[in-house]
Amino acid sequence: MALRGPRPALLLPLALLAACLVLASGQPWVEANFKFFFKHVDYLKTRAPNPNAYCNKMMQIKGLYGMQIVNTFIHEPVSKINSICKDGGTPIIGGLRESKVEFNTTLCLFKPDTLSISYVGVEKKRKIIVGCWSLYPAYYLEQL
């Protein structure tokens, strides 16, 4: 007896197979780019009463709370950040690129002088430096 009609249960394994083939196709920059955006981009900026509360909240949301001493969040659209790896950035030493324009950022620094884990937030508009891979940001250079 032959199978008849649509078989939606077969679509999921086929979609997963296709995704695995794409990831295994020699494009590791996709994963690095995803990690970069997950760890450093918060656009439109998450609301918080002050920069310190913002940092404590975001470090927790991103799973970095208590594990990362410093992290910067960029509050700009993905297209603007991606442009740094093309015409929106200037090449500097070691394959890094500095943005030609300033970006809205929040720098989160671990505050070790308390018994509880907490971060100090510093909002700043500044040029940022990223490492690019296949014309996409894959690494953020922290600037204190």
Side-chain angles (χ1 to χ4, degrees):
M1 183 191 306
L3 295 175
R4 294 187 183 172
R7 298 283 180 237
L10 296 175
L11 292 178
L12 179 60
L14 288 174
L16 290 174
L17 175 62
C20 289
L21 290 173
V22 167
L23 289 175
S25 69
Q27 295 183 347
W29 62 268
V30 173
E31 184 178 345
N33 180 253
F34 175 78
K35 286 181 181 179
F36 168 86
F37 279 100
F38 178 79
K39 186 176 177 182
H40 294 291
V41 178
D42 181 34
Y43 179 78
L44 301 162
K45 185 179 176 186
T46 302
R47 291 182 184 238
N50 59 58
N52 295 352
Y54 171 82
C55 285
N56 285 309
K57 181 178 186 175
M58 288 305 296
M59 294 299 275
Q60 208 162 31
I61 288 171
K62 300 292 185 174
L64 305 171
Y65 198 81
M67 302 172 117
Q68 187 105 11
I69 294 172
V70 61
N71 192 61
T72 299
F73 293 102
I74 306 164
H75 312 297
E76 300 288 349
V78 170
S79 59
K80 185 176 177 182
I81 298 166
N82 282 342
S83 74
I84 299 169
C85 294
K86 298 168 185 110
D87 58 348
T90 305
I92 58 174
I93 193 166
L96 298 171
R97 293 181 70 89
E98 181 178 38
S99 64
K100 291 180 180 177
V101 298
E102 292 184 330
F103 285 71
N104 291 307
T105 65
T106 302
L107 174 68
C108 300
L109 296 165
F110 179 67
K111 186 178 177 184
D113 62 345
T114 62
L115 296 176
S116 64
I117 299 170
S118 64
Y119 289 85
V120 173
V122 179
E123 294 175 335
K124 216 177 205 183
K125 191 167 183 129
R126 63 181 171 170
K127 292 183 178 182
I128 63 173
I129 298 173
V130 299
C132 300
W133 193 353
S134 293
L135 298 177
Y136 291 96
Y139 174 78
Y140 180 82
L141 181 66
E142 292 290 352
Q143 305 163 66
L144 301 178

